[in-house]
Amino acid sequence: MPVSPSALAKPPVVSDGTVACPCGRVSPQRRVLAYSDCCDRYIDHFETTPAPDAESLMRSRYTAFVREHAPYLLATWDATHRPARVDFDPGVRWLGLEVRAHRCPDGERAEVEFVARQRMPGGRAHRLHELSRFVRQDGRWFYVDGDLR
């Protein structure tokens, strides 16, 4: 899949010089995780390594949006709500993700509240604040839908 100019923007690096994960997850020592230690295991190894919880799936889906990885987004969308395709806005730069809450009332449903920031072409910034719903089927979490806040 071709990489967009927005995905080619210089990604942040972690202390050892590797690329930081766009989702911004930090280690217990408060260090930003490298992509290879974070969302890579779910996105690039989807068939063998499902996200262990709804928050990890949501973070990996954010990273997939940043990297414009449509196959992963479609594969992790609940089949009853999955669109036929995912389109990306050209020139959008994703600026960061803040997970505000993660609730799992039972082992099969979960909600994740997050704020994702992006800059549109021309410099206008935008915040996407959503309460997302997830469902677990056959040991895998899937994004169902969400309500904008």
Side-chain angles (χ1 to χ4, degrees):
M1 168 172 272
V3 178
S4 76
S6 64
L8 295 176
K10 212 170 197 178
V13 296
V14 293
S15 59
D16 67 358
T18 59
V19 175
C21 191
C23 83
R25 188 181 289 253
V26 295
S27 70
Q29 297 79 25
R30 308 294 304 156
R31 293 189 181 118
V32 175
L33 293 176
Y35 173 72
S36 60
D37 295 330
C38 194
C39 292
D40 170 55
R41 67 184 116 185
Y42 312 126
I43 295 171
D44 295 339
H45 306 282
F46 173 75
E47 293 299 323
T48 58
T49 311
D53 54 53
E55 180 182 347
S56 296
L57 178 61
M58 194 281 313
R59 286 180 174 280
S60 66
R61 286 177 55 82
Y62 170 84
T63 297
F65 271 104
V66 171
R67 298 172 64 104
E68 297 188 359
H69 196 294
Y72 181 77
L73 292 167
L74 291 170
T76 58
W77 219 306
D78 178 58
T80 61
H81 292 82
R82 183 182 302 135
R85 66 179 215 226
V86 176
D87 295 318
F88 300 100
D89 295 324
V92 167
R93 288 199 52 215
W94 291 92
L95 304 174
L97 175 68
E98 174 192 356
V99 174
R100 294 202 170 164
H102 174 215
R103 293 177 287 283
C104 191
D106 60 40
E108 305 304 313
R109 296 175 298 123
E111 295 178 335
V112 178
E113 181 181 0
F114 70 90
V115 175
R117 296 181 346 269
Q118 61 180 211
R119 185 166 310 281
M120 305 302 284
R124 196 176 107 244
H126 174 74
R127 289 171 24 110
L128 172 69
H129 184 179
E130 183 176 297
L131 178 62
S132 297
R133 285 178 286 281
F134 297 83
V135 64
R136 192 167 84 156
Q137 301 167 354
D138 298 323
R140 282 189 181 271
W141 286 99
F142 294 91
Y143 171 77
V144 177
D145 60 16
D147 295 322
L148 295 177
R149 299 287 170 136

